[in-house]
Amino acid sequence: MRRILVFTIILLLVGILLASCSGMEPVGQRTPVPTMPYATPAPPAGPGMLADRTSKDYCLVYAVDAIQAWVKAQMPEKEPFEYTDALGRSCTATFADISILFTQPNVWFPGALACTTCHGPDLPVSFAMMNLSDFHGILAGSRRASPDAKGNDILGGGQWDKSRLFQVFQTKWMPLGRPATLGEKGPLVLIGNPK
Ligand code: HEC
């Protein structure tokens, strides 16, 4: 009789112990906090994609190829320019599509700062004194003495292969903080539209 009582109590204690453990977070299984060179609060939009877009409505193209197409079309401000996307489709885009690549975070790689975080409109504190936040800033170039001054052309005068922009991508220098795994053409992104 006493043995049965002791056995029941032990069984009860084990039960309570198991029940309380199951509510606890298992030790050693926590998701490690990723280390990023720069703290960015927004979650990544996807592996280099722009959020809420599908490849049916948008063209799929390497970020650097899209910028190259715009420069080779002689940098139109409003008119659409044409290119062939990574799926071989004929596409059109405008500068508005291209500017996303300079002004939005999380485009070049998950956790990426926008180019404009470092190259913003406030020239004195902008790296290389260059404003990539709008059309006129991009055309005005780098190392500008004042907001009215033109700087060094970064678009090679419309000759992509000679441009400073091509150079900073080809050498995998920009965007600063890029992971080693990111190719020189950058990520595949969904921008522009099939014709
Ligand atoms: C974390 C900050 C940072 C980010 C993000 C960044 N850059 Fe830069 N960028 C720099 C720094 C620093 C330099 C060198 C400035 C200097 O030499 O005075 C530079 C230089 C450049 C230059 C060369 C300018 C010249 O005349 O020599 C270009 C072009 C450029 N960046 C383009 C970009 C583009 C395009 C992006 C986004 C895809 C980008 N950068 C993102 C910090 C950044």
Side-chain angles (χ1 to χ4, degrees):
M1 187 62 204
R2 235 183 95 191
R3 244 198 259 163
I4 291 174
L5 197 71
V6 170
F7 184 71
T8 316
I9 289 169
I10 289 173
L11 215 66
L12 257 170
L13 284 176
V14 169
I16 290 167
L17 199 73
L18 280 178
S20 64
C21 276
S22 64
M24 276 163 42
E25 197 179 343
V27 181
Q29 282 189 27
R30 279 183 215 159
T31 321
V33 181
T35 29
M36 284 181 201
Y38 306 98
T40 36
M49 298 285 179
L50 298 173
D52 65 23
R53 299 191 161 193
T54 71
S55 58
K56 196 173 124 302
D57 301 322
Y58 291 91
C59 286
L60 186 68
V61 59
Y62 283 102
V64 172
D65 283 349
I67 298 171
Q68 166 181 316
W70 174 67
V71 172
K72 285 191 165 169
Q74 303 308 306
M75 301 82 81
E77 183 176 6
K78 301 266 189 249
E79 307 79 64
F81 59 92
E82 298 179 4
Y83 58 97
T84 306
D85 82 350
L87 301 175
R89 293 175 299 182
S90 296
C91 298
T92 60
T94 63
F95 172 73
D97 299 304
I98 295 302
S99 78
I100 293 175
L101 303 173
F102 297 114
T103 57
Q104 299 301 306
N106 294 310
V107 169
W108 291 81
F109 53 91
L113 294 177
C115 308
T116 47
T117 305
C118 295
H119 304 295
D122 193 1
L123 282 184
V125 298
S126 174
F127 283 117
M129 297 181 86
M130 178 174 68
N131 172 19
L132 298 181
S133 70
D134 59 29
F135 179 80
H136 296 286
I138 294 172
L139 264 80
S142 66
R143 307 186 191 280
R144 295 160 62 193
S146 75
D148 315 313
K150 264 205 162 292
N152 300 338
D153 179 15
I154 59 164
L155 304 173
Q159 284 184 277
W160 175 249
D161 297 348
K162 299 205 169 110
S163 71
R164 182 82 173 123
L165 205 50
F166 166 66
Q167 205 177 40
V168 299
F169 289 132
Q170 201 203 22
T171 55
K172 296 194 180 181
W173 188 31
M174 293 294 137
L176 212 65
R178 61 190 285 157
T181 46
L182 183 66
E184 63 187 60
K185 282 172 180 251
L188 275 168
V189 288
L190 293 167
I191 58 168
N193 308 99
K195 278 213 279 186

